[in-house]
Amino acid sequence: MLRSRILTTSQTLVQRTIVTQTKVAASNENKDEQNDKTNENQSSNDSFNPPRKPLTQQFTHQVKNQVPPLEYIDLYKSDLALREFVTKENKGQIKDMGVELGTFHWFEQGHLANQYLPSLHQFDRCGQRIDEVHFHPAYHDLMKIGMRYGVHSVAWEPLSGSKTNFNPHGHLQHAAGLYILTQVEAGVCCPLSMTYSGYPILHRYLLCTNHKLTDSFPLERILSRKYDPRCIPANMKSGLTIGMALTEKQGGSDVRTNTTTAYCDNAQEKRYILIGHKWFCSAPMSDGFLVLAQIHNDDNLNQPSSSSKPSCFFVPRWLPNGERNPFYIQRLKDKLGNRSNASSEIEFNNTQGWLLGKEHDGVKVIIDMINGTRLDSAISSAALMRQALVQATWHARHRKAFGRLLIDQPLMKQVLIDLLLESEAATTLVMYIATLYDMTYNNMHSNNTGETKVLARIASAIAKFWICKRAPETTYEALECLGGAGFVEESIMPRLYREAPVNSIWEGSGNVICLDILRSMKKSPELLQTYLSFMHETRGSNKHLDAALQNLEKNLLKKDLPSDMLERHARTLATQLALCLQAGLLVRRLPQTVCDAFCSSRLGPNRGLIFGDLPMDIDTDTLLKRLPF
C-alpha cells in the first residue's frame, strides 16, 4: 500500500516534470523561431569591432601618429560617381547595402574568409567519394548578404504581377551591388556573377529539355534571395547558384582545342555522357555548371581540333534521380589572389550533361554569359580601385609627416586626385554600360538589335580590357600612399593588390579581348559606326577629347590599314577607344572640373606616365572635395 502510494506520487512528479519540460521546450522553440527571424538578416558570427582603447604607452616609447581603424564608411553616400547613376528613382536597396556593408564587421569578415582558406574533401570517412569544398563561416556570411541583396538575381526578377516584364533598373542595381560587395570581399562575387550571367541561358534553353530535369532543378530558385550552402539535390534547396567550366589545360581561352567529349545517351532528352577535364572551374560547390565539350560522332573523328566547334551542356551536381553526378574535384588552385573563392581542376567520367541549344553552337550559346561576366570583371576592378582610394584617403587624413597631415601636402594631393580621376572614370564607364544592359535586356525575351545593344557589346569589351588593366597600377599606387603600413597583412591593401590582376586574366586576357574587339569590328561594322556616332555627340566639349578622337579615326581606324598592322597595334587601339569613351561619358555625366582634369591628364599633350604627374591646369581644390573623406 505504502509502495503504491510512493509510486503514485512519483508518477505524478514525473508527469509534472514532463509537462513542465514540454512547456519549456515549446517556449524555447518559440523563442528560437523568433530569434531565427530576428537573426535571419544578421551574420552567424558575433559582430566584429576594432580593439577598444589600446595601450599607447609602451615600455620604451609612446605610440603616436597612428591612423585609427576605419570603423565605418557609407559605401553609397561617399561615392559621388556612383550616386550620379544610382539615384532616388532607381536605387532599390543599394543605399541600404552601402550603409550595412561599410562597417568594420564586414571588412573583418572579408579578412577572415581569406585567412582561413577553402579546403577540399574528396572522400568521406568511409572512403566514399563526395568531392566537397568546405569554407570558413565568414565566406558563407558574405554569400548570404550578397544573395539577400539580390546581387545575383535583381536583374531577372519579374515585376509584381508579371512573368515577362523585369526590373527596368535591374542590371544597374546588380552592377552597383557587385561594386559595393567587391570592396568588402571579391571572392564571393565570382559565384554571384556566374549565377547572374548564367540564369538567362538556362531560362532560354533548359526549359526545352525534359520535365524530369527541370523538376529536379527548379530554375526559379536561382532567383531566390536565400543562400543555401548544402550539397544536396537542387529541388531540396531554398536557393541555387550557377558556375561554368570552359577551359582546359591544352588550350586555355582557345576552347576550340577542348578535348572533353560528349557521347549521346538519350537524343530525345538531349542527355549526353561527358568524359574529360577542365583546368579552371571556380566555385565548384555551385549547383549546376555550363560546360563546353566536343560532341562525338563519326564525322568529326578525323577533324583537326583547332577547327572543332564545341557544344554547350548543363551539368548539375545532382541527377534527377537524387544521386550524385560524377564530378571529380582533383585539387584546388593555390592562387595569388581571390583566395576565399575556391578554384578547382575537375574531371568528368561518366558525367551526365544536357545539351543547351544546337550541336556545335556552344560558343554562340554561352556568349551572353561571357559578356555578362566580362562586364562584372570590369565592375569588380572598378570596385577595387575605389576601395584602394578610400584606404589611401583615410590614411592621408590621419597621418602626419614633416609636421603636416599627408592630405595637406601638395604632392600627396596630386596623387590622390589622380587616383580619384582614374576611379571615377572607371565607375562611370561600368555603370553606364549597366544602364545600356537595362535598355537592352530588361525583357530577356526581346530580340533588340538596335544601337543600344551594339554599343553595349563593344563598350563592355573595351571596359573589360582597360579597367582591368588599370586596377593593378591603381591599387599599387594607393598602397604606396600608406607606406609600410600598407605592405603588412593586417591592412586590406595587400589583399586588394593581390586581387587586382585576376580580372584582367579571367574571361579573356588583355590580348584576347583586344583581338575580340578587332574581330567584332570586322564582322559587324555597325559596332564601330555606333561607337563613333556616340562619340561625335561630344564634339566641342573638350579640345583634348576632340583631338584624341580625330587622331583615332585618322591613324588607327583607317580602312586601308593592313590587318597585320592593325593586330599589332590592337592594344593601342583598345586603349584609345577606352580613354575617349571614358572622357565622353564624363562630359555627359560628371562635373566639368572632373571631365577637364581627366581629358587634360589622359588625352592632353602634357599627360604623365605615373600617378601624380598631372598637368598644371587641374582644379585641385574642387577635386579634393570629391574624395571619400
Side-chain angles (χ1 to χ4, degrees), residues 55-64 66:
L55 298 176
T56 58
Q57 183 61 56
Q58 306 296 315
F59 292 111
T60 60
H61 63 285
Q62 179 81 19
V63 180
K64 299 179 181 178
Q66 288 298 302

Side-chain angles (χ1 to χ4, degrees), residues 219-232:
L219 291 183
E220 67 275 7
R221 294 187 196 175
I222 299 175
L223 301 182
S224 169
R225 294 199 177 194
K226 294 182 179 180
Y227 172 58
D228 191 340
R230 296 175 296 169
C231 187
I232 57 175

